[in-house]
């Protein structure tokens, strides 16, 4: 009897800019045998440079430009409709720089994932690298987490850390962190695709077979 074909996990990725996390996820799926498909890369801006990379890979791309909508609610409604047509198992935010409304988040409850460049709950919002330097932290990092209506909050799936060096600027620290972001997000995508990640009703994350979800 032929082996049953394993269903591929469907991802939609939202970006606003260069999309290096998106690129790394697409490449990890392609090279690491992750049972997943990136159904579409969607941006809120036609100037997102990651879009042309995605197009060159033959991926479906869409632009839902926030500036074309009078309100955040209208934009989110259009975005939700666009995302929904791809029937994703998960929506991955990868440098998506718009705050999503609860209406959007509820549409994909427990299925939206974000990467944030800090060790949450430290430093939600912007300028995280400078904040880590200003706080004289010796370690900085990134967090991949489920998205909830509260900004840069929500249950943590995995974190990565890097040292903060004495002479760091926000730019050098960001550059040191980026490859760790790529590693952590690709690992989480693998866990999601393999069906290992559970969000419990009390808001905890359990990853089957993984005792510690921190990376260097
Ligand atoms: C990353 O630092 C990510 O953590 C943050 O925005 C940046 C996006 O970078 N949310 P890229 O577009 O994935 O290169």
């Amino acid at each position: 009897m032929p082996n049953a074909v394993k269903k591929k996990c469907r991802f939609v990725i939202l970006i606003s800019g260069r999309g290096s996390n998106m690129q790394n996820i697409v490449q990890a799926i392609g090279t690491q045998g992750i049972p997943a498909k990136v159904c579409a890369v969607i941006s809120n801006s036609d100037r997102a440079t990651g879009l042309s990379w995605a197009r060159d890979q033959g991926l479906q791309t869409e632009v839902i430009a926030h500036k074309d909508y009078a309100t955040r609610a209208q934009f989110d409604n259009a975005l939700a409709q666009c995302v929904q047509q791809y029937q994703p198992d998960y929506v991955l935010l990868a440098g998506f720089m718009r705050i999503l409304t609860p209406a959007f988040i509820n549409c994909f409850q427990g299925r939206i994932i974000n990467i944030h460049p800090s060790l949450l709950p430290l430093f939600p919002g912007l300028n995280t690298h400078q904040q880590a330097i200003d706080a004289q932290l010796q370690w900085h990092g990134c967090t991949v987490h489920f998205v909830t209506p509260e900004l840069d909050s929500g249950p943590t799936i995995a974190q990565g850390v890097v040292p903060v060096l004495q002479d760091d600027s926000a730019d050098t620290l960001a550059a040191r962190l980026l490859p760790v972001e790529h590693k952590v997000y690709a690992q989480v995508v693998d866990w999601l695709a393999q069906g290992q990640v559970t969000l419990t009703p009390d808001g905890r994350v359990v990853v089957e077979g993984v005792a510690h979800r921190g990376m260097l």
Side-chain angles (χ1 to χ4, degrees):
M1 213 164 86
N3 288 334
V5 179
K6 205 171 173 187
K7 184 183 166 286
K8 285 189 173 176
C9 186
R10 297 174 66 81
F11 292 112
V12 164
I13 306 182
L14 305 190
I15 65 169
S16 294
R18 69 188 163 181
S20 74
N21 276 285
M22 174 273 295
Q23 293 179 29
N24 188 67
I25 288 166
V26 170
Q27 283 165 341
I29 289 171
T31 60
Q32 295 172 26
I34 299 173
K37 176 181 167 63
V38 174
C39 304
V41 175
I42 303 174
S43 179
N44 61 303
S45 164
D46 58 6
R47 295 165 70 175
T49 52
L51 283 173
S52 54
W53 184 90
R55 269 184 222 116
D56 289 347
Q57 307 305 306
L59 295 170
Q60 182 73 34
T61 62
E62 306 263 10
V63 175
I64 306 291
H66 66 273
K67 58 178 173 42
D68 292 346
Y69 296 87
T71 66
R72 200 178 280 281
Q74 285 167 358
F75 167 69
D76 273 17
N77 186 40
L79 183 63
Q81 281 183 28
C82 181
V83 172
Q84 245 156 0
Q85 67 179 324
Y86 293 100
Q87 303 192 322
D89 294 298
Y90 292 99
V91 180
L92 306 177
L93 310 185
F96 185 68
M97 301 304 282
R98 303 296 300 173
I99 294 174
L100 295 166
T101 55
F104 182 94
I105 293 168
N106 290 336
C107 255
F108 304 98
Q109 206 171 16
R111 295 189 290 132
I112 309 175
I113 315 290
N114 182 42
I115 185 159
H116 181 74
S118 81
L119 292 171
L120 291 172
L122 290 175
F123 316 138
L126 299 174
N127 303 320
T128 58
H129 312 299
Q130 191 58 52
Q131 290 191 69
I133 292 167
D134 292 346
Q136 301 188 46
L137 296 189
Q138 297 301 299
W139 297 96
H140 181 45
C142 61
T143 304
V144 174
H145 64 95
F146 282 102
V147 171
T148 57
E150 199 183 333
L151 180 68
D152 296 330
S153 181
T156 292
I157 305 173
Q159 291 186 313
V161 292
V162 292
V164 183
L165 303 185
Q166 192 153 274
D167 296 332
D168 264 334
S169 65
D171 286 346
T172 60
L173 185 51
R176 186 173 312 112
L177 182 60
L178 193 63
V180 176
E181 290 192 33
H182 293 167
K183 184 175 171 181
V184 174
Y185 216 166
Q187 176 62 82
V188 170
V189 161
D190 188 23
W191 289 337
L192 292 168
Q194 308 280 1
Q196 287 169 267
V197 182
T198 305
L199 181 57
T200 66
D202 62 347
R204 283 181 319 111
V205 174
V206 177
V207 180
E208 195 187 317
V210 182
H212 181 253
R213 308 191 306 266
M215 282 154 237
L216 299 167

